[in-house]
Amino acid sequence: MDSRLPRDWLVMTLLRPWSEISGRFRHSLLIGNGASRAVSESFAYESLLEVAGRPSQVQPLDARDRQVFELVNETDFERVLGEIDRAQSIARLAGVSDLDALAEQYVRVRSSLIDAVHTVHPLYADLSSNRLERVRDSLLHFASVFTTNYDLLLYWAMTAGGGSRLDRFRDYFWNPEISFDLTDTGVAPGKTRVLYLHGGLHLFDPPDGSTVKASGSEGDSAWSVYSPLLALTFHYRGATYPLFVAEGSSGRKLTAITSNDYLNFAYSEWIGHFLPQTSPFESLVVFGHSLGTGDEHLVRPAIAQLQQAERRGEPLPEIAVSLRPDNSTALDARKQYYRARLGRDEVEFFDASTHPLGFPPS
C-alpha cells in the first residue's frame, strides 16, 4: 500500500459505498437509532440523559436516578432499565418484600426517556425537504421497512412531497379512524410496508383498546407533517403517553409488544419474514441498529431460522450492515461483533454516510 495515500482514502477502502451493493438488497430494511443520530446528535444517549435530568421536564430524572446511570457507567436508558429490572429480581430472590421504590424508579426512567426524545426532537421546519425526499425515495427501494425508533423522522420522510410517492407506502393505519385493524392488513404488490416494532411518538393506545395514529386530518394541526411545530400533547384520545417500548430487557419488551394488537402484528411480521413457508426472505439491510442484548427478541428468531435453513442446505439470504468510517482496528471489531450477533460470517458492510439515511446534517 502506498504510504503517501491520505488516511481518509485508506479508511474509506475498508467499507463499500451503498451504491455498489444496493441492487442486491431490495427486500427488507431494519432501522435503528443511528439513522436518527445522522439527522441530529440530540438523539444520542448522552444528549437524552442530559435533557432527562432537567427539572423542567414533564418526568425528570431525580438525583437517585442519575446515580444509577453513574453506578453502572451507562448513558443507554434501556441498559439502565435492564439493571433496575435485574435489581428487582435479585431483591425478590433475597426475600425483600417492599420493591415499590425500584418499581417506581423503573417507570420514572422509562417515562423520562420518551419525554427527552420529545424535547430534543427537531422541528419539521428545520429539516431540509430535499433530504426528507431522498430518504423517502431510499425507503421505496425496499419491500418492507422495520424500525425500532420512536421519533417522527421516518413518518415525515414517508409523507415528504405527498402525491403518488406517499401512496406507495403502507403503514397499516388506513381506515377512516386512522386506527389499526387486524382484519384489514392486506398490502398490494409494489407497495412498501412500514412497521414500527417498538411504537412511536405518533402512535397511541387509547383506553378503548385500539391503536391509533395521530393525524392533522382530525383538526389537530400540530400533527400535520407540514406544521412548523412539534406540539405533542401526550393526551391523545385519552392515552396519556405515546405507544412506545423501551423496557430494559428483551423479555419485558416482548411482554409489552404482545399486549398490544398493532405491536404484536408488527412483531409477527418481523418473525414471519424469516419463515420461508410464509414469505421467502431474500435480503436484509441493518442500518444504524446495534442489535444489542435488549433486542434478543428481534435477533434470536432470525438467527434460528437462518441456522435451520443452513442445515437444510438452502441458499442463505444476503445481509448488509451499515458502519461509520473508522480506523481499521475499530472497524474490524465492529464487523466481528455483527457477524457474531447475526451468526453469519458472510455479511456485507457498507459506509453509512453513503446512504441517504446516513448523510451527515447539512
Side-chain angles (χ1 to χ4, degrees):
M1 184 70 69
D2 189 340
S3 61
R4 295 170 298 175
L5 290 172
R7 178 183 176 277
D8 287 348
W9 183 92
L10 183 61
V11 169
M12 287 295 289
T13 60
L14 300 173
L15 295 171
R16 300 181 69 178
W18 168 246
S19 59
E20 283 189 6
I21 66 171
S22 61
R24 291 159 36 211
F25 293 91
R26 293 184 173 274
H27 195 229
S28 296
L29 170 68
L30 173 64
I31 301 174
N33 184 251
S36 298
R37 291 185 63 172
V39 175
S40 173
E41 272 298 319
S42 295
F43 287 118
Y45 289 122
E46 296 83 359
S47 172
L48 292 172
L49 179 57
E50 188 277 323
V51 170
R54 296 175 185 172
S56 58
Q57 289 296 102
V58 175
Q59 179 64 80
L61 298 174
D62 64 22
R64 292 169 301 171
D65 301 330
R66 291 193 293 273
Q67 287 173 357
V68 174
F69 280 84
E70 294 171 3
L71 178 65
V72 299
N73 193 29
E74 272 290 352
T75 57
D76 185 330
F77 280 73
E78 292 186 6
R79 291 182 181 176
V80 169
L81 285 167
E83 292 296 331
I84 298 173
D85 189 31
R86 193 171 296 109
Q88 291 183 77
S89 298
I90 293 172
R92 197 175 291 112
L93 289 172
V96 178
S97 58
D98 186 2
L99 300 177
D100 289 350
L102 283 171
E104 291 169 3
Q105 184 174 59
Y106 188 96
V107 172
R108 191 166 54 248
V109 172
R110 182 179 180 275
S111 299
S112 72
L113 170 59
I114 201 67
D115 287 338
V117 171
H118 166 233
T119 298
V120 306
H121 204 296
L123 303 180
Y124 182 81
D126 292 338
L127 302 179
S128 161
S129 59
N130 288 337
R131 177 169 191 168
L132 288 175
E133 290 171 6
R134 285 199 302 269
V135 170
R136 174 203 63 200
D137 292 344
S138 75
L139 299 176
L140 290 171
H141 180 85
F142 297 92
S144 299
V145 175
F146 299 91
T147 181
T148 55
N149 293 344
Y150 317 123
D151 58 64
L152 299 176
L153 301 178
L154 180 61
Y155 172 59
W156 283 345
M158 290 164 52
T159 56
S164 60
R165 283 186 174 85
L166 172 59
D167 184 58
R168 290 170 62 186
F169 289 104
R170 291 292 182 269
D171 67 357
Y172 297 92
F173 292 91
W174 50 56
N175 62 28
E177 292 76 33
I178 319 182
S179 62
F180 173 70
D181 181 357
L182 188 57
T183 67
D184 183 16
T185 58
V187 174
K191 305 295 184 181
T192 293
R193 306 184 312 147
V194 178
L195 293 131
Y196 296 87
L197 294 170
H198 290 170
L201 285 175
H202 63 312
L203 303 179
F204 292 82
D205 52 347
D208 63 7
S210 64
T211 303
V212 301
K213 178 174 73 173
S215 169
S217 63
E218 298 179 349
D220 183 359
S221 61
W223 278 104
S224 168
V225 297
Y226 301 107
S227 170
L229 302 176
L230 187 77
L232 311 188
T233 118
F234 281 12
H235 291 281
Y236 192 81
R237 294 197 194 178
T240 304
Y241 269 87
L243 175 65
F244 75 105
V245 176
E247 275 61 27
S249 68
S250 183
R252 286 188 70 152
K253 281 191 177 77
L254 192 54
T255 298
I257 287 169
T258 54
S259 67
N260 176 271
D261 59 348
Y262 167 75
L263 293 179
N264 191 51
F265 169 78
Y267 181 67
S268 297
E269 290 297 295
W270 169 259
I271 300 302
H273 177 71
F274 298 95
L275 302 175
Q277 64 270 31
T278 304
S279 174
F281 173 27
E282 299 169 6
S283 64
L284 172 66
V285 173
V286 178
F287 192 97
H289 205 296
S290 67
L291 303 180
T293 55
D295 292 314
E296 291 291 346
H297 59 296
L298 301 178
V299 178
R300 195 173 297 162
I303 293 176
Q305 293 302 324
L306 291 171
Q307 290 175 339
Q308 288 181 27
E310 189 171 27
R311 285 194 291 269
R312 292 192 297 265
E314 298 173 359
L316 296 179
E318 293 190 285
I319 299 178
V321 176
S322 72
L323 292 176
R324 290 286 174 185
D326 205 335
N327 64 68
S328 59
T329 302
L331 278 178
D332 284 343
R334 293 301 292 164
K335 289 177 180 180
Q336 285 304 110
Y337 166 82
Y338 279 106
R339 290 186 181 112
R341 290 297 286 149
L342 293 166
R344 291 281 299 278
D345 289 330
E346 299 78 22
V347 178
E348 194 80 71
F349 295 98
F350 67 96
D351 183 346
S353 65
T354 64
H355 189 285
L357 282 168
F359 287 169
S362 55

